[in-house]
Amino acid sequence: MIIPDNGASPITASRILVIEDDQDIRKLLRRFLCLKGYSVSEAVNKVGLQRQFQSSQIDLVLLDLMLPQESGYELFRHIRQTASTPVIMITALTETKDRVTGLDLGADDYVSKPFDLTELEARIRAVLRRTEKPVPPNDALSEHIFGPWKFIPAKRALYGQSGIRVTLSSSETDLMLTFCHHPNALLTRSKIIELIYDTQNAVEERTIDLLVSRLRRKLAEGGRQLELIRTIRGDGYIFDLKSLRR
């Protein structure tokens, strides 16, 4: 296979961990990503994953779901227990439900095999840009209070009426902050993508639906979560703060 070179520059010094049991694919990804300027580590199972996370700072994980010892879903859950490192799932599974499962668990993106290397690297850059994007100074110490919730972007946290902290992923934090900046306004899926990722084609619109679903579950307080984020069929979503006064 010819290694393409589109001249794009990666996020400087980003280290990518490739978790893949197929040696040929690992070599291909290592060669391609190294040519693009990334630092690349490899693992084939949970033991290797733990070793890599202990020995170096991992900026992004490319995770194959079809592994011989543990499933990629199991490894993803293990990563999320200890880190918020962005994860792009890679698999030969083509069923829609498999894609939905991965995204619903909190994966940052999902790529099907066989994949185009240029597209994969573009997705890597998009995820790194978003997850490494600093919180704007005016939001660094800000608090957004609505109903029983207090949202602190810099801590990636929601605090409910009881004071219990609900931790958000980087994607959920970005979505929550986007809603807080645009209360009571209709946001189309494409507009949400543009606001979060700084581009219109970074992810599919279905990814936004899954992200909203995850955030709704975390906002569940007294059965009012469906009113807070309203779906406008065929158009998008409204973060409906007016519903709190009803």
Side-chain angles (χ1 to χ4, degrees):
M1 178 181 290
I2 296 175
I3 303 293
D5 184 359
N6 60 8
S9 298
I11 304 297
T12 303
S14 293
R15 176 174 289 274
I16 297 176
L17 173 59
V18 177
I19 305 177
E20 166 66 62
D21 66 304
D22 187 308
Q23 185 177 12
D24 291 335
I25 294 178
R26 286 203 315 275
K27 287 182 177 179
L28 175 68
L29 288 173
R30 173 181 278 278
R31 181 185 174 198
F32 172 70
L33 293 172
C34 286
L35 284 173
K36 290 296 182 181
Y38 297 93
S39 178
V40 181
S41 302
E42 300 177 19
V44 297
N45 52 31
K46 184 177 179 179
V47 173
L49 180 155
Q50 292 173 324
R51 184 181 300 117
Q52 292 296 339
F53 267 86
Q54 290 168 0
S55 64
S56 59
Q57 173 67 41
I58 303 298
D59 298 302
L60 183 141
V61 176
L62 294 179
L63 174 61
D64 180 36
L65 294 182
M66 302 293 287
L67 298 170
Q69 296 181 25
E70 308 97 348
S71 76
Y73 295 126
E74 291 176 27
L75 292 190
F76 177 80
R77 292 187 183 95
H78 176 74
I79 293 171
R80 280 293 172 265
Q81 288 173 1
T82 57
S84 59
T85 306
V87 176
I88 297 178
M89 292 182 173
I90 300 178
T91 183
L93 298 173
T94 57
E95 294 271 343
T96 300
K97 64 181 178 63
D98 296 309
R99 180 185 181 89
V100 170
T101 298
L103 293 173
D104 203 29
L105 283 174
D108 293 85
D109 206 346
Y110 190 108
V111 177
S112 297
K113 294 178 181 177
F115 50 80
D116 178 85
L117 288 171
T118 302
E119 179 185 356
L120 175 62
E121 203 258 336
R123 289 175 179 270
I124 289 171
R125 283 187 281 113
V127 170
L128 287 173
R129 276 198 306 269
R130 178 175 56 79
T131 56
E132 294 189 359
K133 181 173 59 180
V135 176
N138 61 326
D139 280 321
L141 301 176
S142 67
E143 296 182 356
H144 300 266
I145 299 174
F146 46 92
W149 291 107
K150 179 168 69 174
F151 168 51
I152 304 179
K155 294 184 177 181
R156 295 185 180 180
L158 282 166
Y159 294 89
Q161 215 164 22
S162 60
I164 296 176
R165 172 174 174 160
V166 177
T167 301
L168 303 179
S169 69
S170 59
S171 299
E172 292 161 354
T173 299
D174 288 340
L175 179 62
M176 188 73 261
L177 190 57
T178 297
F179 280 139
C180 286
H181 285 168
H182 301 83
N184 306 312
L186 173 62
L187 295 177
T188 64
R189 293 167 178 81
S190 61
K191 184 61 177 178
I192 292 173
I193 292 172
E194 181 182 349
L195 290 170
I196 292 179
Y197 298 92
D198 297 325
T199 182
Q200 291 185 338
N201 301 309
V203 298
E204 296 179 1
E205 292 188 356
R206 175 60 175 158
T207 300
I208 298 302
D209 293 335
L210 293 170
L211 188 55
V212 168
S213 178
R214 278 162 36 201
L215 185 57
R216 274 179 171 152
R217 288 199 295 270
K218 293 187 176 182
L219 283 169
E221 181 79 13
R224 299 179 64 88
Q225 76 277 17
L226 294 179
E227 297 179 32
L228 259 179
I229 303 178
R230 288 200 294 127
T231 300
I232 307 302
R233 189 173 297 277
D235 290 320
Y237 298 99
I238 293 178
F239 185 49
D240 189 5
L241 296 186
K242 295 178 183 177
S243 67
L244 296 170
R245 299 194 290 270
R246 294 171 191 159

